[in-house]
Amino acid sequence: MIMKILHTGDVHLDTPFSGLSPVLSPEMRRELRRTFSAMMKYAADSGVDMVLIAGDLFDNEFVTRETVALLRRDFSALSCPVVISPGNHDCADSSSIWIRELLPENVCVFTDEALNYFPFDDLGVDVYGYAFTSKFYDRCPLDGLKPENPHRINILLAHGDTTSPISRSCPLPPAALRDFGAD
């Protein structure tokens, strides 16, 4: 079976665009929402098997009601799972949308810093991930870990920094990624 996956990250919905004029800023936010909706429509129309969002779907912890309504509508229109790994801009802290909002049943969100996975038995896939629970994540969550079910397709959904081993944005050294053994 060939799987179709739509992967995105760093969308930064509700970014203030504070460097733009007061007239242009709201239009840019609307355009960003339209672009996100177009991605989700593409996923629905193309028969995508899974949507993966690797952090920073939002620009910060302040998410408008309009954006929440858009997510509910767009995610509900999908017949596939949506898996989200919150990043440093949209971390899964106690006041975040990931904790306080009810999202559609097909949406799975990592809410803990510890590496975990969501199994999708109908696809033979396990999606591994974690969440930023604050703006900073100083350690690599993969150290010494391997997928629990090596006979399945194992996907790592991660928001982090692959360039600096001392990063405060979840250092993910290439060796740790390789040693983890995701597909």
Side-chain angles (χ1 to χ4, degrees):
M1 173 180 130
I2 295 177
M3 280 188 48
K4 290 172 79 172
I5 297 172
L6 186 143
H7 172 262
T8 189
D10 288 299
V11 178
H12 291 274
L13 292 171
D14 288 337
T15 190
F17 291 106
S18 56
L20 300 177
S21 74
V23 172
L24 194 52
S25 294
E27 180 53 36
M28 292 301 294
R29 283 190 294 279
R30 284 189 293 275
E31 182 58 31
L32 198 51
R33 285 188 201 105
R34 284 192 291 269
T35 300
F36 179 79
S37 287
M39 283 192 293
M40 296 306 106
K41 183 172 179 1
Y42 172 82
D45 293 348
S46 300
V48 165
D49 295 300
M50 184 176 287
V51 172
L52 303 176
I53 302 175
D56 293 354
L57 180 57
F58 310 112
D59 190 62
N60 57 57
E61 67 272 15
F62 303 107
V63 181
T64 64
R65 284 184 298 226
E66 182 180 25
T67 298
V68 171
L70 174 133
L71 291 179
R72 285 186 181 131
R73 183 193 71 224
D74 288 355
F75 290 158
S76 293
L78 295 170
S79 60
C80 68
V82 176
V83 186
I84 301 170
S85 177
N88 56 318
H89 285 257
D90 62 352
C91 58
D93 63 17
S94 60
S95 65
S96 78
I97 184 175
W98 309 125
I99 305 299
R100 63 183 162 79
E101 292 293 334
L102 284 174
L103 295 171
E105 273 186 28
N106 63 323
V107 178
C108 301
V109 180
F110 293 103
T111 58
D112 192 305
E113 282 188 357
L115 188 71
N116 203 342
Y117 70 95
F118 291 110
F120 298 97
D121 295 334
D122 56 326
L123 297 171
V125 173
D126 291 339
V127 178
Y128 285 80
Y130 54 86
F132 276 71
T133 58
S134 68
K135 296 283 182 203
F136 302 107
Y137 192 163
D138 296 334
R139 65 178 184 79
C140 176
L142 306 178
D143 287 340
L145 299 175
K146 298 265 187 214
E148 289 190 29
N149 303 301
H151 61 283
R152 292 168 60 96
I153 297 170
N154 292 288
I155 297 172
L156 175 63
L157 180 62
H159 188 81
D161 185 345
T162 60
T163 63
S164 172
I166 59 169
S167 174
R168 300 209 60 209
S169 294
C170 192
L172 295 171
L177 291 167
R178 187 178 47 256
D179 291 347
F180 177 66
D183 296 301

